[in-house]
Amino acid sequence: MRSGGAGCSARLLLTSACGINVTAIQDPSLAREGEGEPEGDEEPENDSETESEPEAEADDDREVSNSTIVKEVEFGMCTVTCGIGIREVILTSGCPGGESKCIVRVEECRGPVDCGWGRPISESLERVRLACVHTSPENRFKYIWRLLRPDQQAIILANDSAILEVQRDTHPKAFECETLDNNEIVASIRFTIYTTTELQMKRASQPDTDAVLVFVLTIGVIICIFVIFVLIFIIINWTAVKDFWGAKASTTEIQSELSSMRYKDSTSLDQSPTDIPGHEDDALSEWNE
């Protein structure tokens, strides 16, 4: 019977085990022999099924444990106070390697739209370069430049790039740039372009202020350094300093005692002449008696 079963596995086309799901039989007699021992042939399949069940349960338990891991996320500070910037997304739980915090990604962040008055990125006595609020890539956004006029409607300029180069005029000018993302204004900034004369006067007044500020800061730093050195010297030579102040205090006490003694002597000398006549009068009165 066992040899027949072995021959069966060699001569039959099977899908899973001998005697089960037989697709073709070459010898009818071998087929009957195979039918005579179905129980012994089905045992390996049952064993494999029972072994696969714990493995499947273990895989399910691992999946459940992985899904129950709590991942806490916090966001870093935005790199800008207005307009468009970037910030870090930080994971505070479930980091690899047992780290307390790890950076997951960097994402875009937005602040208030109005950025107020800005400064040119570069300027000279003839030209000024202005820049809109934007992030990389620059061509992702749409830019609208306007020339602002007091009590009049602003003039929209033909320039649609993030950088605008302006030539100085005899009168100061004001420009505004709006940054749009999907036709939504995400940032707005304004600039003032001074005349050449105003710029020269502004630059001439700055050195005096800077010189005074530098002088005050230098004096303050020198005083701080001197105080620090004095404190270090006192700490290092504390015994000598203590003896010095003790000797000085004792000298002061001695001088105060001497002065008090001198004062007492002077008062006693002042009172002695007045006492003498009294004694003489007593002596004369006794002699007369």
Side-chain angles (χ1 to χ4, degrees), residues 2-275:
R2 299 294 179 189
S3 62
C8 178
S9 62
R11 295 179 183 181
L12 299 180
L13 298 174
L14 308 178
T15 58
S16 59
C18 181
I20 300 173
N21 297 331
V22 178
T23 57
I25 300 177
Q26 294 180 354
D27 193 350
S29 62
L30 294 175
R32 287 192 299 272
E33 292 179 358
E35 293 174 356
E37 47 182 8
E39 296 178 357
D41 294 333
E42 290 180 357
E43 290 178 357
E45 184 178 359
N46 295 331
D47 294 339
S48 63
E49 290 178 357
T50 56
E51 291 177 357
S52 63
E53 289 179 358
E55 294 178 358
E57 292 177 357
D59 293 338
D60 294 338
D61 293 339
R62 283 195 294 270
E63 290 178 359
V64 171
S65 62
N66 291 333
S67 62
T68 56
I69 294 175
V70 179
K71 294 184 178 181
E72 298 179 357
V73 177
E74 66 180 21
F75 300 95
M77 295 293 293
C78 192
T79 56
V80 296
T81 56
C82 67
I84 312 166
I86 57 174
R87 65 180 177 185
E88 296 176 346
V89 180
I90 303 171
L91 191 66
T92 59
S93 178
C95 293
E99 296 181 359
S100 60
K101 290 185 179 182
C102 54
I103 299 174
V104 179
R105 64 182 183 274
V106 177
E107 66 180 13
E108 183 181 284
C109 60
R110 295 184 181 181
V113 174
D114 190 2
C115 292
W117 296 88
R119 293 184 177 182
I121 56 175
S122 65
E123 60 180 344
S124 63
L125 294 176
E126 292 81 16
R127 294 181 177 274
V128 181
R129 284 172 59 87
L130 310 176
C132 283
V133 178
H134 65 279
T135 58
S136 299
E138 182 181 327
N139 57 2
R140 168 190 164 190
F141 303 98
K142 182 181 178 181
Y143 309 98
I144 299 177
W145 287 94
R146 292 185 177 90
L147 174 62
L148 303 179
R149 298 182 298 175
D151 301 330
Q152 294 181 9
Q153 188 176 2
I155 299 175
I156 298 177
L157 304 180
N159 185 21
D160 59 352
S161 63
I163 305 298
L164 177 66
E165 188 171 351
V166 183
Q167 189 172 1
R168 295 188 187 276
D169 202 348
T170 55
H171 300 283
K173 295 180 180 180
F175 293 88
E176 181 184 22
C177 178
E178 292 181 350
T179 305
L180 288 81
D181 185 15
N182 295 327
N183 295 326
E184 178 186 359
I185 300 176
V186 294
S188 175
I189 189 169
R190 294 177 290 275
F191 303 93
T192 299
I193 308 303
Y194 297 99
T195 62
T196 304
T197 305
E198 291 175 342
L199 182 64
Q200 289 176 347
M201 293 175 63
K202 188 176 179 181
R203 289 182 177 180
S205 61
Q206 284 181 351
D208 296 336
T209 306
D210 295 340
V212 173
L213 181 61
V214 169
F215 176 77
V216 172
L217 291 176
T218 304
I219 296 300
V221 170
I222 291 172
I223 293 172
C224 291
I225 293 172
F226 176 75
V227 172
I228 291 170
F229 274 106
V230 169
L231 293 175
I232 292 172
F233 176 80
I234 292 173
I235 293 170
I236 293 174
N237 303 285
W238 174 246
T239 305
V241 172
K242 189 175 180 181
D243 295 338
F244 172 77
W245 285 108
K248 190 173 182 180
S250 62
T251 304
T252 306
E253 291 177 357
I254 292 170
Q255 290 178 355
S256 63
E257 290 177 357
L258 289 173
S259 62
S260 62
M261 291 175 66
R262 289 174 182 174
Y263 176 75
K264 289 179 180 179
D265 293 340
S266 63
T267 54
S268 63
L269 290 174
D270 293 338
Q271 292 176 356
S272 59
T274 59
D275 296 337

Side-chain angles (χ1 to χ4, degrees), residues 275-289:
D275 296 337
I276 291 171
H279 290 293
E280 290 179 352
D281 294 337
D282 295 336
L284 289 174
S285 62
E286 289 176 359
W287 182 78
N288 290 328
E289 291 177 356

